Every structure is written in C-alpha cells, then in structure tokens.
Amino acid sequence: MKQLDKYGGGIVRVGPGRVAVGEISMFKKTMGSQMTKSKMYEDFAVVGENIFTTRNREFNRMRRSQMGKVFMRPSVVKMQSLVYEDGIDRVCLLFDKIIGDQEKGICNLYYTFAMMATDVVSSLAFGHAFGAMDLLFDKLGLEIEHRSYSESSDKVMEFTVGTMMLMVLTAELPLIRKVPRKMLPKGIRKLYSLCDALMVFATATVAGRRKLIENEKPVSGESNDQGSKRHDILNALISAEDVDTGATMSNQEIASEITVLLAAGTDTTSNTIVSCIQLLLRHPQVYEQVKSEVRLAFADKRQKIKYEEARERLPFMVAVVYETMRYRATTSGGWPRDAPEQGVVLGGYYIPCGVVIHGSVGGVHMNRDTWDSPFEFNPDRFMGEQGEERKRNVVAFSSGARICPGRHLAMMEMVLALATVLRDYDFALISPAEEAKQKPYFEQVDEVCHITTGFANPDRDCNVFISRAH
C-alpha cells in the first residue's frame, strides 16, 4: 500500500513475477472472472475445497448458484433475531456487568466483539453459539444465569482457534502441506488434529440437523426452532440447490463451507466494529454526530433496532461504517490472481502469463486519484448521491465474480451492533482525545497482517471506558 502511494499510477512491481494494483478499475479487472485465484488459496484449503479456496471456475459457479439465495439480503434479514440473541444482547449484558453499580468500567473492545462475532456465526452456521461470550464472562470473573452452549464450549473454541491458526500457517508456509504429517513439529501436528476435530464436529452437526429436518413432524401453529423453521445459514445450505442442475451439497461439503465462514466471518467483522468505535473516539465531533443520529432515530431503548430501519434512518452511521471499511480495511492485504494465458494490460502495462497480480484493497482505499484526502477519516464523503456512488469504490468485500458472499450478513451485524451500543452506552478513550489526536491512528494502534489485518497488541490498544447512556 505504501509503495502504491509512493510511486503512484496504481500499479507497482513488488517482487519477481509479482505486481500489486491499487487503482479501482485495475482492481476490478483483476478480480474479474478472467483471472484465476493464485495457488495461495489451495495452500490454506485445510478444510477442503469451498467457495473461498477453490480455483476452479465451474466449482465457483456451481457453489455460488447453490449459495446465492442463502446470503441474499432478504434471507439474511430474517436472521437478525439470532444476531441479537446470540451476539448483541450478550454484549449489552457484558457491558452492564462490567459497569455494575459504578459510574463507568473498562472494557476491551477487541475481545468483546471477537467473541460476539464468533457466537453469531456459529449460531447461524452451526445451529448454536459456541459459547465464546460465556468464556469471556468466565475470564472476567462475571457470573451469568444463562449460558449459550455447554461445558464443551472451551473445547470447540480450541478446535476453532487451532483451525484458523493452521489456515494462516499453511498460507504463509505452503511447503508445510508437502511434509508428511508425522514428520512435522509437534505444535503443527496438534493444529492439524484440532482442524480434523473441528471438521468431524462440523460434519456431525450438519448430519444431525439434516436428520432432525427429515424426522420432524410439523404441528399446526408450532415451530421447531432447531429444525426446518429456524432461519439460519445451516438450514439454507442443507436445502440449497444449483439452479441449473439441481445439485445439492453433501454433509462434508457443507461442513467445509460453514467452517470457512467461521474463519472468514469473525475477525473481519469484529475488527471493523472495534476500529469504528476507536476512530469515532479519536474524532469527537463525528462521534457526537453519530450518537445524536442514533439516539434521535431510536430513542426507546426497550425496542430492538431493525436492520432495514437502521439503513433508512441512520445514513450518517452507515457512512461511518463505510469510511471505517475504507480507512482501515481488515482485508487490506493483497489478494492474488494469476495473469491469464494471453496476458493482460493494466495501467498501460502488459502483464504476461505467469505473473501473480495482487489486488490491494488498502491501495484502492488510499488511492489519491479516487479519494480526496484519503488519509483523513471523513464519513461525509459517503453522504448524498455522490456518497452512494463512492460506496462502489469500497472493496473491503472484494468485487466481481468472487465478491464475498457473506457481505450482507457482515453489514447487518456491524450496523445493528454499532447502532445498539452507540444508543445505549457512552465510550471514552483511556487517554484523553486531545492526546490521541497528536499522531495518526495508524501510528497509535499497531497492526498485523496475515490473511487479514488485525490488532497486533489488543490488550494495550483496545481498552476503553464504558458507561450507560443518559
């Protein structure tokens, strides 16, 4: 990203046989259907081929046909009650417990929203929350009456974390997959064992739900919230069909899809929420404006905010979300594609076959030809008719034939979570805002980029004061 900004032009050579593009038209061309994902995606396909890891165009077409309706906005909106029940409501309970009868308390935003996102995705994709928030309550020594899952929560979370670590490791060190497992270091063998355990768990979960659906006996006026009547991703995937062939997915295939959804749909969403709150606190005028908008539009704290109403009545808060995704994209690394057999022209340069082209989300979002003052946090750029057009240039969810299928779910989760906590709670930096404004956000908060970009030191950088809104 820094090289793209330094040299301009939107395209730079970043190594032997590798270039990076950070200009919107070149990025969209790179992410288009004519270019194949690079071998990197195969390297971290530790849970099997799925919509994210596949390099096969026909497989991608079939899977997107099967999963298209699952992640469409009308379908996702039906899941918002579970987003509240297993995610947002638990966050509010945590905040209330932390504050207690005091004026304010200290909360770590990173762990809060990472656990929330994990429980939301696991609830929707696996049929029940893994209990990540329960583990956070336990870690903080806070008692709760109702637990999301069971005593096995810590074990399932261990499977999940181990699988995510293995994905990152194999992506960065692909030779690992060529080494016989018994010859690998003990620590890596354990990650493989945890990944295997998660896939066994996921496959059994799919099989259990499928059997429940097949055996359930509907009763007039009643619904089985764990069977076919439950509005979640798992049910939708079990019934999903290719519109052309009618092909459905096996238990193993669905297990691979829900596992990669768990990996791809947690830290990306949670880190964006955390960055959004962090940026608001470093820009007090913006923070006051968005608080006022939310609290005026949804004054009754007893009423849950509905997603479609939030999008309609909170244009500035939605603009803040877009500006956060632009300014601090959790997918800001380079997403590699292989130049096609006939080569391709990008930015006036001919890129021959054999070259890997990295689409830089961060480069696109900081491109001076696309954005006025790109290194300034300015949500107003996404307001009005021009703002709607500019939203098309935010590529945090990628673009084209391989755009993130879960983008509507992620947006709903972010909008509902932010609207709720900004209405019901006040946040403040541990250090005064004026002190925080002395240097740019990127110099205050250390980041680390593996597959996605996250916080390098969340225990230091993500603590804030919270208090109840009055």
Side-chain angles (χ1 to χ4, degrees):
M1 187 177 79
K2 291 180 179 179
Q3 285 181 292
L4 287 165
D5 182 61
K6 178 179 179 180
Y7 296 109
I11 182 169
V12 294
R13 181 175 180 270
V14 293
R18 294 179 180 274
V19 299
V21 296
E23 186 274 332
I24 186 63
S25 63
M26 284 188 274
F27 179 91
K28 289 184 175 181
K29 188 173 183 178
T30 300
M31 296 295 129
S33 60
Q34 297 305 308
M35 298 198 203
T36 303
K37 283 187 169 183
S38 78
K39 190 177 180 301
M40 183 196 82
Y41 290 87
E42 287 182 355
D43 293 333
F44 58 74
V46 296
V47 296
E49 187 177 23
N50 51 60
I51 197 169
F52 182 64
T53 63
T54 186
R55 301 177 69 207
N56 184 295
R57 292 180 183 175
E58 176 55 27
F59 182 96
N60 180 60
R61 184 213 62 77
M62 176 186 68
R63 193 61 91 234
R64 285 182 180 269
S65 174
Q66 291 169 327
M67 297 175 65
K69 291 183 179 180
V70 177
F71 290 102
M72 289 177 64
R73 194 156 129 187
S75 178
V76 165
V77 166
K78 294 178 182 178
M79 304 177 193
Q80 60 186 310
S81 63
L82 294 175
V83 173
Y84 272 108
E85 179 181 336
D86 291 311
I88 299 170
D89 290 349
R90 307 287 286 175
V91 168
C92 293
L93 177 62
L94 177 69
F95 287 174
D96 289 338
K97 291 280 187 179
I98 289 174
I99 298 168
D101 56 3
Q102 305 297 311
E103 181 180 342
K104 61 184 178 181
I106 295 178
C107 174
N108 186 286
L109 297 176
Y110 173 82
Y111 294 112
T112 298
F113 289 105
M115 299 301 102
M116 181 202 80
T118 299
D119 277 349
V120 167
V121 174
S122 58
S123 173
L124 295 176
F126 286 76
H128 48 69
F130 283 176
M133 286 296 295
D134 292 347
L135 298 179
L136 184 56
F137 278 104
D138 293 344
K139 179 181 177 180
L140 298 176
L142 300 172
E143 294 185 2
I144 50 175
E145 294 181 5
H146 303 289
R147 302 182 71 84
S148 297
Y149 195 29
S150 66
E151 65 277 359
S152 61
S153 295
D154 55 346
K155 186 59 67 175
V156 176
M157 284 300 298
E158 184 183 9
F159 298 162
T160 304
V161 172
T163 301
M164 292 180 180
M165 291 175 65
L166 184 62
M167 287 180 178
V168 172
L169 190 63
T170 53
E172 296 183 346
L173 298 171
L175 289 177
I176 288 174
R177 299 198 70 187
K178 299 182 181 298
V179 179
R181 192 179 295 192
K182 64 182 180 181
M183 297 178 63
L184 291 168
K186 183 178 179 180
I188 298 178
R189 293 202 308 271
K190 182 178 180 180
L191 295 182
Y192 269 107
S193 295
L194 292 172
C195 180
D196 292 343
L198 181 60
M199 282 303 293
V200 169
F201 173 79
T203 305
T205 297
V206 179
R209 175 64 69 82
R210 193 188 295 274
K211 183 176 181 180
L212 184 64
I213 293 171
E214 292 172 352
N215 294 338
E216 69 181 4
K217 297 178 180 179
V219 178
S220 179
E222 295 183 6
S223 66
N224 182 351
D225 62 4
Q226 291 299 317
S228 61
K229 301 298 189 295
R230 193 177 198 260
H231 290 298
D232 64 13
I233 292 169
L234 181 55
N235 268 346
L237 290 179
I238 288 173
S239 62
E241 297 181 350
D242 185 332
V243 295
D244 294 327
T245 66
T248 59
M249 286 182 278
S250 68
N251 292 347
Q252 186 77 19
E253 288 173 324
I254 295 174
S256 178
E257 297 295 346
I258 62 177
T259 300
V260 81
L261 176 63
L262 184 66
T266 50
D267 64 335
T268 47
T269 299
S270 63
N271 284 343
T272 302
I273 295 172
V274 176
S275 290
C276 186
I277 296 173
Q278 293 267 35
L279 287 163
L280 286 173
L281 297 182
R282 287 164 171 81
H283 298 82
Q285 290 183 329
V286 178
Y287 179 41
E288 290 302 319
Q289 184 176 345
V290 75
K291 272 201 311 184
S292 297
E293 180 186 63
V294 174
R295 294 176 187 184
L296 182 62
F298 299 100
D300 188 351
K301 295 181 182 180
R302 297 169 299 177
Q303 296 295 319
K304 284 183 168 54
I305 299 170
K306 296 180 180 179
Y307 180 52
E308 297 295 2
E309 292 180 359
R311 288 190 66 94
E312 178 183 349
R313 298 163 63 181
L314 303 176
F316 187 68
M317 197 201 76
V318 173
V320 168
V321 173
Y322 270 92
E323 178 66 343
T324 301
M325 291 193 295
R326 182 201 70 83
Y327 188 80
R328 202 275 185 192
T330 60
T331 53
S332 60
W335 299 94
R337 299 290 188 270
D338 292 337
E341 185 177 351
Q342 70 274 20
V344 63
V345 176
L346 295 170
Y349 296 95
Y350 174 73
I351 311 298
C353 177
V355 173
V356 176
I357 305 167
H358 295 265
S360 172
V361 173
V364 170
H365 288 176
M366 294 298 174
N367 187 288
R368 297 178 188 274
D369 293 330
T370 303
W371 309 98
D372 293 330
S373 304
F375 289 89
E376 291 183 10
F377 181 74
N378 177 21
D380 284 327
R381 69 175 87 239
F382 293 109
M383 296 295 286
E385 291 185 9
Q386 288 188 332
E388 290 301 314
E389 287 297 317
R390 293 189 184 107
K391 288 176 183 177
R392 300 175 185 271
N393 294 332
V394 175
V395 291
F397 297 115
S398 191
S399 70
R402 303 300 292 266
I403 194 169
C404 173
R407 61 194 181 280
H408 295 304
L409 174 60
M411 279 298 297
M412 182 175 75
E413 191 176 345
M414 290 188 291
V415 167
L416 292 180
L418 285 165
T420 300
V421 300
L422 289 171
R423 179 191 65 180
D424 295 351
Y425 302 92
D426 287 323
F427 299 86
L429 293 169
I430 301 296
S431 299
E434 289 303 315
E435 179 181 327
K437 289 168 60 179
Q438 296 304 311
K439 55 183 180 179
Y441 177 71
F442 295 103
E443 295 179 19
Q444 299 175 41
V445 178
D446 292 333
E447 296 180 330
V448 60
C449 183
H450 294 293
I451 296 176
T452 58
T453 302
F455 296 92
N457 198 335
D459 290 299
R460 182 196 68 192
D461 295 334
C462 298
N463 292 310
V464 297
F465 287 122
I466 55 170
S467 57
R468 295 184 181 88
H470 298 291

